[in-house]
Amino acid sequence: MKIAVWQALSTPCNVEENYQRLATAAKQAVEQGAELLITPEMFITGYNIGDSAQSLARQSPLEQARSIAREYHIGLVVGGPEWCEPKTGSAHCFNAAHLIDDNGHLLARYHKTHLFGALDREMFTAGDTLSPVVAYKGVKIAMMICYDVEFPENVRAAALAGAQLICVPTAQMQPFSHVNSLLIPTRAWENQIYIAYANQQGRDGELEYVGKSVVATPSSSVSAMAPEKGEALIFAEIDADTVQAAQDQNPYLSDLRQSLFRTG
């Protein structure tokens, strides 16, 4: 499966404009043969939007992405705020990512489980469920959001659940560019999987995003990386057989003595 990773800066709180730009990126990705387009963290609304996150979440902004997936016949991983009102208890605003297939069907949703600093915690409730692993175009896919992938336990859990590709919408900022260039390839190597990391870029209020969106392979090599500055669409091939071969050659997952780490 050929994927596209889109590096772009959202227009804060302007859902309509962000969707117009997403449609353009989807069209360009399809023209280059991509079957899945991965977008940055909270792209649909912008990330650094403070109290607007809750009001925008109530408008279900992620639902509109299905029509773009259907129109351009491409799978999407899109991010934005999601409002959930349970039958009992209080409502919550989550930092969410949706995986949508090329017919516009929602395959999976994920809520960011590890919130980063006051900025995240003031806008969102942490999710309490790991990403599902779902098959799309012959590849088993899980999702994480930004800070989530920096915890090795998260990535290991997804790999043990069968994930071959982890899609990570992110809003990685200064001074953490080493995450893009060093940690993402390391996470891929530790588990012999692909990781696609789609970042915002440029300045967003007091934040300066580091760009450098990246796709890392099961061997830890970087198959594509965007520049630090500027919008970019990068591409990579994802091969399930390569994952299996890498895991056979470097059997961390099967050799891991999980019983040593169980408590209680």
Side-chain angles (χ1 to χ4, degrees), residues 86-141:
K87 293 182 179 178
T88 60
S90 57
H92 297 285
C93 182
F94 295 103
N95 184 335
H98 285 190
L99 172 59
I100 302 165
D101 73 10
D102 54 5
N103 292 311
H105 299 137
L106 178 66
L107 297 182
R109 60 161 44 89
Y110 171 73
H111 296 152
K112 189 176 186 178
T113 55
H114 293 76
L115 302 181
F116 179 75
L119 181 59
D120 257 358
R121 294 186 177 97
E122 289 172 2
M123 290 191 288
F124 304 115
T125 298
D128 58 8
T129 304
L130 296 177
S131 171
V133 176
V134 299
Y136 177 69
K137 302 293 184 181
V139 177
K140 296 176 181 177
I141 299 173

Side-chain angles (χ1 to χ4, degrees), residues 10-263:
S10 305
T11 301
C13 301
N14 193 331
V15 173
E16 180 178 357
E17 179 177 329
N18 291 330
Y19 266 118
Q20 290 173 353
R21 294 172 58 207
L22 175 59
T24 299
K27 182 176 183 292
Q28 293 172 345
V30 168
E31 289 171 347
Q32 294 296 316
E35 296 178 286
L36 178 67
L37 172 63
I38 303 154
T39 69
E41 180 177 9
M42 293 278 291
F43 178 78
I44 298 305
T45 60
Y47 174 62
N48 188 18
I49 57 174
D51 293 341
S52 296
Q54 292 197 8
S55 60
L56 287 168
R58 289 185 176 93
Q59 300 172 29
S60 302
L62 292 176
E63 298 302 313
Q64 301 174 48
R66 298 189 195 185
S67 62
I68 291 178
R70 186 165 52 249
E71 178 178 356
Y72 294 98
H73 202 61
I74 187 171
L76 297 174
V77 175
V78 294
E82 186 164 52
W83 188 256
C84 294
E85 294 191 20
K87 293 182 179 178
T88 60
S90 57
H92 297 285
C93 182
F94 295 103
N95 184 335
H98 285 190
L99 172 59
I100 302 165
D101 73 10
D102 54 5
N103 292 311
H105 299 137
L106 178 66
L107 297 182
R109 60 161 44 89
Y110 171 73
H111 296 152
K112 189 176 186 178
T113 55
H114 293 76
L115 302 181
F116 179 75
L119 181 59
D120 257 358
R121 294 186 177 97
E122 289 172 2
M123 290 191 288
F124 304 115
T125 298
D128 58 8
T129 304
L130 296 177
S131 171
V133 176
V134 299
Y136 177 69
K137 302 293 184 181
V139 177
K140 296 176 181 177
I141 299 173
M143 293 179 288
M144 295 179 191
I145 299 174
C146 198
Y147 195 40
D148 289 329
V149 78
E150 297 179 33
F151 294 85
E153 297 85 353
N154 276 346
V155 183
R156 178 56 50 83
L160 288 170
Q164 298 161 322
L165 166 65
I166 298 179
C167 299
V168 188
T170 187
Q172 188 60 268
M173 61 200 74
Q174 294 289 3
F176 304 113
S177 63
H178 60 279
V179 170
N180 308 48
S181 56
L182 298 177
L183 189 144
I184 297 303
T186 299
R187 290 286 174 270
W189 164 255
E190 289 170 339
N191 299 282
Q192 285 74 53
I193 59 173
Y194 293 93
I195 300 180
Y197 191 75
N199 200 14
Q200 300 259 359
Q201 65 86 28
R203 178 161 288 279
D204 182 12
E206 73 280 13
L207 304 179
E208 182 72 29
Y209 299 122
V210 302
K212 298 175 69 174
S213 298
V214 62
V215 181
T217 75
S219 66
S220 81
S221 64
V222 171
S223 59
M225 178 176 274
E228 182 176 344
K229 303 288 187 181
E231 187 169 322
L233 197 60
I234 61 174
F235 298 89
E237 294 286 345
I238 307 298
D239 181 13
D241 290 339
T242 296
V243 173
Q244 186 60 59
Q247 291 176 352
D248 289 342
Q249 184 178 6
N250 299 289
Y252 291 147
L253 299 183
S254 58
D255 284 351
L256 178 67
R257 297 179 62 194
Q258 297 184 62
S259 62
L260 296 177
F261 304 99
R262 296 188 184 119
T263 60

